[in-house]
Amino acid sequence: MSPRKRLLVIDDDPDFVDGIKSILVGADFDVDVAYNPKTGLQALQAKSYDLLLLDIMMGRGAEGVMIARKIRKDPKLRELPVLIITGIREQIAFLFPGGPMHPHFVPVDELVEKPVEPKLLLERVSALLQAAEARKAEAARG
Amino acid sequence: MSGVENESRLLIIDDEDVVLDSCTQILEGGPYRLATAKDGEMGLRLVQEIQPDLVFVDLKMPGLSGFEVLERIQVADPSIVTVVITGYATVSSAVDAMKRGAYDFLPKPFTPDEFRLITQRGLEKRKLVLETMALRREKALLQEHFAAIVSHELKSPLGSVQQNLFALSQELAGSLTEYQSARLERMKSSIDVLLKLIHTWLRAYSADLEGIQQTFGPLAVGDVIAKAIEIVQPHAVRKDVEIRPTIEGALPSVSGDEGTLVEALVNLLGNAVKFSRLGGLVNVAASKDGPKVVITVADQGVGIAREDLPFVLGGFHVGRPGPEAERGSGLGLAITRRIVEAHRGSISARSELGKGSTFTIHLPALSPNANGRASPETELARDSQKEASHEST
């Protein structure tokens, strides 16, 4: 058995976080939470995580995008899988007028909409974790 | 000071001292701040300086002509109301002036009452113009921010409630009675309905429908219809309604965005099913008509009253309930229309109460060798440049 996977949720809506945290904990994940981008980034520096669940619309705008960009620039965090959880696709369309509905902020992200059904959430989380493991194995071989 | 704020600012431009003097006298003591100018040049300077509500312009003056002064005032501030004073009361010069934006005309000679009346009317017009402008600005602002407000103020908290219901029903699985689970399920489905309604509002108000044109590609209408039917089918099965497609062979492609075009058809098919009687039939057909592809969705349901028909495609119109008291949000058809128009198409409705409704969509057909970019692109290209320039970072 592989050790328990450690996930970080960054989302400024404590109610929503409660709602997904309990699903993830129920599926035997270790879950840390940050309620704003600043403590979120601090947590990412302080500990190592297997996956980040990231809200896009935080604070005064799309601060989640800012986090995603920082992650991509950081050699330590670049490989971290990111599952983007966002209120609505429309909001993204507002931010990126004319852009595709699913902009790839980061190379390995997936996007789910709030609210997310437990089954779908867990499927996406496992898929991203597996893909990350496969990449790691590949890198070790190569 | 506060009295000054309520004073209307009037400007009279006339080369005759006697006109300026008598007008000043007539309005003396009223709630006006009156300025006068002896020629067009000076008048235009005063327009800039005092920003009048109402300007009287003599048509026949030495120097700048009254017509030219009118035009320049229009350019400087189209909300300023102008009235022309015409010495030679020929209808044609007054009509000419009004064509160029003057609100009314005052033939010389005029009585004090005539002048007072026209002043009053002109100022009322100015008030209406300003109010209309304010309302337009407010409407634009509301429209712009509506989506953001709704999404944040309503959708986020509702989404969180739903997320917790999802979590709770998982955590409590096995320990709830059947009755308790049923109530939990009902709560989830109610919130789902609310979230979908908000989603629909957002679709109707968001500006992203114009953006879809940038990803237009060639689409087979038959495929679009098939996808839409697939989505509506479960609902049709529940009502025992048959959806019967008739797709003409060798139909040309159209240029479009599959997702939204499917959404448009889902709205039409969903309505057709919703307003059909149990065991009814919905015909969906696609054919070629000259340079257009024509899609029709026809039901044999309750129909739309003649007086309602002109409004169904307009938005926020909630028609009569269906056979099982079904009602819509009143926006589905408005969104459908916007989607069709974004595809440079048109949509129309025909209906007879009690016999059913037919919605017809016309879309420009792609010529067989086109690769998805239809020809009338100049306008589009400009739009997309505009879009790209305000892309945020």
Side-chain angles (χ1 to χ4, degrees):
Chain A
M1 251 229 18
S2 55
R4 273 167 55 160
K5 296 289 182 192
R6 186 180 280 165
L7 316 184
L8 176 67
V9 180
I10 308 181
D11 191 318
D12 64 348
D13 179 350
D15 291 332
F16 180 79
V17 169
D18 285 349
I20 57 169
K21 186 179 172 181
S22 103
I23 293 167
L24 295 168
V25 169
D28 210 28
F29 290 108
D30 250 345
V31 182
D32 284 352
V33 188
Y35 294 114
N36 62 60
K38 201 174 153 215
T39 53
L41 283 170
Q42 282 165 356
L44 283 171
Q45 297 298 341
K47 268 198 207 175
S48 104
Y49 291 96
D50 298 297
L51 180 105
L52 170 66
L53 293 103
L54 178 63
D55 181 29
I56 286 300
M57 298 303 286
M58 279 189 287
R60 262 168 294 168
E63 291 189 10
V65 176
M66 185 265 289
I67 296 184
R69 291 215 178 105
K70 283 202 174 149
I71 289 172
R72 260 348 113 189
K73 281 194 197 137
D74 188 326
K76 281 206 308 281
L77 297 173
R78 198 175 290 147
E79 296 301 320
L80 177 69
V82 179
L83 178 59
I84 287 175
I85 304 184
T86 186
I88 32 160
R89 269 177 289 155
E90 270 74 6
Q91 285 178 332
I92 294 189
F94 280 120
L95 294 170
F96 303 91
M101 283 308 212
H102 179 175
H104 283 266
F105 302 110
V106 283
V108 288
D109 72 9
E110 269 276 7
L111 184 141
V112 292
E113 282 179 61
K114 286 180 181 182
V116 49
E117 300 244 22
K119 190 166 163 281
L120 181 69
L121 176 67
L122 296 175
E123 267 171 27
R124 289 290 150 86
V125 166
S126 335
L128 281 173
L129 288 172
Q130 268 166 26
E133 296 245 304
R135 271 201 311 276
K136 233 181 263 169
E138 185 86 0
R141 262 206 308 278
Chain B
M1 269 317 275
S2 65
V4 176
E5 299 281 309
N6 294 327
E7 275 178 353
S8 301
R9 292 181 300 271
L10 262 63
L11 172 63
I12 304 172
I13 309 173
D14 198 313
D15 61 317
E16 289 180 70
D17 282 328
V18 60
V19 174
L20 297 179
D21 289 347
S22 56
C23 287
T24 308
Q25 239 170 21
I26 294 168
L27 296 181
E28 200 138 73
Y32 312 106
R33 216 170 90 202
L34 188 67
T36 57
K38 282 181 67 73
D39 59 56
E41 293 281 0
M42 185 185 172
L44 288 170
R45 264 204 311 281
L46 281 174
V47 166
Q48 296 293 343
E49 206 177 301
I50 64 172
Q51 298 182 314
D53 297 297
L54 175 61
V55 183
F56 288 90
V57 183
D58 185 14
L59 275 187
K60 207 175 172 209
M61 291 183 289
L64 270 183
S65 81
F67 285 116
E68 192 148 3
V69 173
L70 269 185
E71 261 165 26
R72 293 218 203 153
I73 293 176
Q74 285 292 313
V75 172
D77 180 355
S79 76
I80 293 176
V81 175
T82 48
V83 173
V84 294
I85 304 173
T86 150
Y88 43 103
T90 58
V91 175
S92 68
S93 60
V95 168
D96 254 6
M98 285 168 82
K99 270 189 195 151
R100 294 180 204 207
Y103 168 62
D104 207 343
F105 70 100
L106 182 66
K108 272 194 262 189
F110 48 83
T111 67
D113 273 347
E114 278 167 354
F115 181 62
R116 270 191 219 104
L117 187 70
I118 212 158
T119 300
Q120 209 180 328
R121 270 171 32 85
L123 289 173
E124 269 163 24
K125 165 74 177 173
R126 162 78 172 173
K127 211 175 123 200
L128 286 177
V129 169
L130 290 181
E131 271 173 20
T132 309
M133 279 168 60
L135 283 173
R136 274 214 195 106
R137 267 200 306 274
E138 198 175 314
K139 189 185 163 206
L141 209 68
L142 268 178
Q143 205 145 322
E144 214 174 288
H145 295 299
F146 186 79
I149 294 166
V150 168
S151 66
H152 250 94
E153 304 304 318
L154 278 176
K155 182 142 182 165
S156 307
L158 267 180
S160 299
V161 170
Q162 186 74 318
Q163 194 62 55
N164 280 283
L165 287 176
F166 285 157
L168 277 176
S169 51
Q170 220 187 30
E171 286 160 41
L172 298 174
S175 57
L176 291 180
T177 66
E178 209 169 291
Y179 178 50
Q180 286 168 329
S181 310
R183 277 185 294 162
L184 202 55
E185 285 309 309
R186 278 219 302 281
M187 282 159 72
K188 281 197 279 187
S189 75
S190 298
I191 291 179
D192 192 49
V193 168
L194 287 177
L195 286 170
K196 284 199 174 113
L197 185 61
I198 294 170
H199 183 83
T200 311
W201 287 343
L202 289 171
R203 289 289 285 159
Y205 278 94
S206 68
D208 71 338
L209 276 183
E210 278 78 48
I212 61 173
Q213 291 170 338
Q214 290 172 39
T215 53
F216 273 11
L219 291 178
V221 173
D223 293 351
V224 173
I225 292 175
K227 283 192 175 146
I229 292 177
E230 199 183 309
I231 294 172
V232 180
Q233 199 65 48
H235 186 42
V237 168
R238 271 200 300 279
K239 278 194 73 171
D240 192 24
V241 169
E242 186 197 343
I243 302 177
R244 191 182 293 165
T246 316
I247 316 292
E248 199 181 85
L251 203 59
S253 300
V254 297
S255 174
D257 169 69
E258 185 176 83
T260 51
L261 215 48
V262 168
E263 181 184 344
L265 277 166
V266 164
N267 285 342
L268 292 184
L269 287 169
N271 271 350
V273 169
K274 191 190 278 183
F275 294 103
S276 281
R277 297 181 185 82
L278 230 61
L281 174 69
V282 171
N283 275 303
V284 48
S287 59
K288 185 173 181 291
D289 179 16
K292 306 257 179 191
V293 172
V294 184
I295 306 169
T296 56
V297 175
D299 66 64
Q300 302 163 346
V302 296
I304 302 162
R306 188 188 297 257
E307 65 267 27
D308 288 339
L309 201 54
F311 306 107
V312 292
L313 292 162
F316 283 120
H317 184 82
V318 179
R320 286 164 197 225
E324 289 158 44
E326 291 97 336
R327 271 179 184 279
S329 63
L331 281 175
L333 287 175
I335 295 166
T336 301
R337 196 193 72 198
R338 285 192 56 195
I339 291 172
V340 170
E341 284 171 357
H343 283 82
R344 292 184 290 272
S346 64
I347 179 167
S348 59
R350 252 181 321 117
S351 189
E352 200 174 334
L353 208 55
K355 295 210 171 145
S357 310
T358 301
F359 287 85
T360 307
I361 294 176
H362 284 85
L363 293 172
L366 276 180
S367 50
N369 56 356
N371 55 0
R373 282 278 173 188
S375 44
E377 287 296 315
T378 38
E379 208 178 322
L380 256 181
R382 201 186 57 225
D383 280 350
S384 45
Q385 268 168 14
K386 195 175 67 197
E387 294 266 359
S389 69
H390 67 241
E391 190 159 326
S392 58
T393 44

